């Protein structure tokens, strides 16, 4: 209770301060506002701080919900894949390779998660995205530097991602070649042996991110001269 006579406005201000203090904190501190101006200021600060805290918690909830959504999608896809492989009676080793491939795509190439949402983009936007992703890779090849802008544009727009697991052959010696490959991620080995290389064989060169291969067969029409 007030010790002296106060106006109705003072009473409402005190009630508003008490309500804001009760909602936004626990208990009563030793330092309390002494007049109406301080009560109004403290009440506004407490309310705004609670709104900011609510916004922060909402962001956390959104992040947790998004992570749960992707985790549920991954679990659903994994369950469907395992069930399909069992029905096909696929050998265990091949099952592991299929699951490893999907894990790699899911963890590393995260842009594939949003592939469906990109389908409705305009042609211009898709070309711009392709340019951002692949232009630097294409310019790693010196023999492409003298091409016109339109030719480079056609090359970039025709590029597609191709994922390979360890022990997979990207190209085989003696096969016809009509593709040029750019290394976006990972490593690959080049082998010149006549027979199919084995796991312990030593490669003559290791290709890394930014390297390219397959240009000889593409430009000359010759068959592939190595294993990659």
């Amino acid at each position: 209770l007030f010790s002296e006579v106060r106006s109705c406005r003072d009473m409402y201000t005190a009630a508003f301060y008490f309500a804001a203090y009760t909602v936004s904190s626990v208990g009563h501190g030793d330092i309390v506002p002494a007049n109406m101006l301080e009560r109004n200021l403290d009440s506004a600060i407490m309310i705004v701080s609670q709104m900011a805290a609510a916004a922060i918690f909402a962001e956390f909830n959104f992040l947790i919900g998004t992570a749960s959504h992707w985790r549920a999608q991954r679990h659903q896809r994994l369950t469907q894949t395992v069930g399909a492989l069992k029905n096909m009676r696929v050998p265990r080793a091949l099952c592991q390779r299929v699951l490893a491939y999907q894990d790699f795509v899911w963890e590393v190439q995260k842009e594939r998660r949003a592939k469906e949402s990109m389908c409705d983009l305009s042609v211009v936007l898709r070309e711009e995205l392709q340019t951002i992703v692949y232009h630097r890779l294409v310019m790693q090849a010196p023999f492409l530097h003298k091409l016109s802008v339109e030719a480079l544009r056609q090359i970039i727009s025709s590029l597609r991602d191709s994922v390979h697991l360890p022990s997979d052959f990207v190209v085989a010696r003696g096969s016809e070649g009509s593709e040029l490959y750019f290394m976006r991620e990972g490593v690959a080995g080049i082998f010149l042996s006549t027979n199919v290389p084995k796991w312990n064989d030593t490669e003559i060169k290791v290709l890394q991110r930014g390297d390219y291969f397959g240009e000889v067969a593409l430009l000359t029409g010759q068959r592939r001269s190595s294993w990659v």
Side-chain angles (χ1 to χ4, degrees), residues 37-223:
L37 178 61
E38 292 181 359
R39 290 192 186 95
N40 286 328
L41 181 60
D42 289 351
S43 300
I45 292 175
M46 287 186 288
I47 294 298
V48 171
S49 65
Q50 288 301 302
M51 293 173 63
I56 293 174
F57 280 110
E59 291 292 336
F60 277 119
N61 289 333
F62 173 77
L63 294 176
I64 294 173
T66 302
S68 299
H69 169 73
W70 289 118
R71 189 160 48 246
Q73 280 200 349
R74 181 177 183 181
H75 179 72
Q76 180 182 7
R77 182 176 181 181
L78 177 63
T79 303
Q80 292 175 347
T81 302
V82 172
L85 293 175
K86 286 183 178 179
N87 291 333
M88 297 167 62
R89 298 181 180 180
V90 176
R92 181 179 179 84
L94 182 56
C95 288
Q96 292 177 346
R97 293 183 62 202
V98 172
L99 296 177
Y101 176 90
Q102 289 190 347
D103 285 340
F104 175 82
V105 172
W106 188 270
E107 294 293 340
V108 179
Q109 294 191 329
K110 294 182 173 60
E111 66 269 18
R112 289 199 176 188
R113 300 182 188 178
K115 188 175 182 179
E116 294 182 0
S117 62
M118 298 291 185
C119 293
D120 58 348
L121 294 179
S122 66
V123 176
V124 175
L125 287 177
R126 287 199 296 268
E127 288 183 354
E128 290 183 5
L129 289 175
Q130 288 273 102
T131 302
I132 292 297
V133 175
Y134 299 122
H135 179 266
R136 185 174 297 180
L137 283 175
V138 171
M139 298 313 295
Q140 295 293 328
F143 65 92
L144 297 178
H145 290 179
K146 296 183 179 180
L147 295 180
S148 64
V149 175
E150 183 61 28
L152 290 174
R153 180 181 176 184
Q154 292 294 330
I155 293 175
I156 292 175
S157 63
S158 64
L159 291 178
R160 298 293 182 270
D161 286 338
S162 177
V163 180
H164 300 271
L165 296 177
S167 77
D168 286 350
F169 288 107
V170 184
V171 298
R173 180 173 180 174
S175 61
E176 295 182 355
S178 59
E179 298 89 10
L180 172 62
Y181 295 89
F182 297 91
M183 293 285 295
R184 185 181 175 190
E185 298 286 348
V187 294
I190 298 179
F191 301 87
L192 291 179
S193 59
T194 304
N195 298 323
V196 178
K198 298 181 180 179
W199 184 262
N200 295 326
D201 291 350
T202 302
E203 63 276 355
I204 64 169
K205 183 179 180 181
V206 176
L207 300 171
Q208 298 180 348
R209 180 177 181 178
D211 291 334
Y212 60 93
F213 60 95
E215 71 280 4
V216 176
L218 176 64
L219 296 176
T220 64
Q222 299 178 359
R223 292 184 177 271

Side-chain angles (χ1 to χ4, degrees), residues 2 4 6 17 31-39 42:
F2 292 112
E4 67 273 4
R6 297 292 182 91
Y17 168 77
I31 301 177
V32 296
N35 54 52
M36 183 179 65
L37 178 61
E38 292 181 359
R39 290 192 186 95
D42 289 351

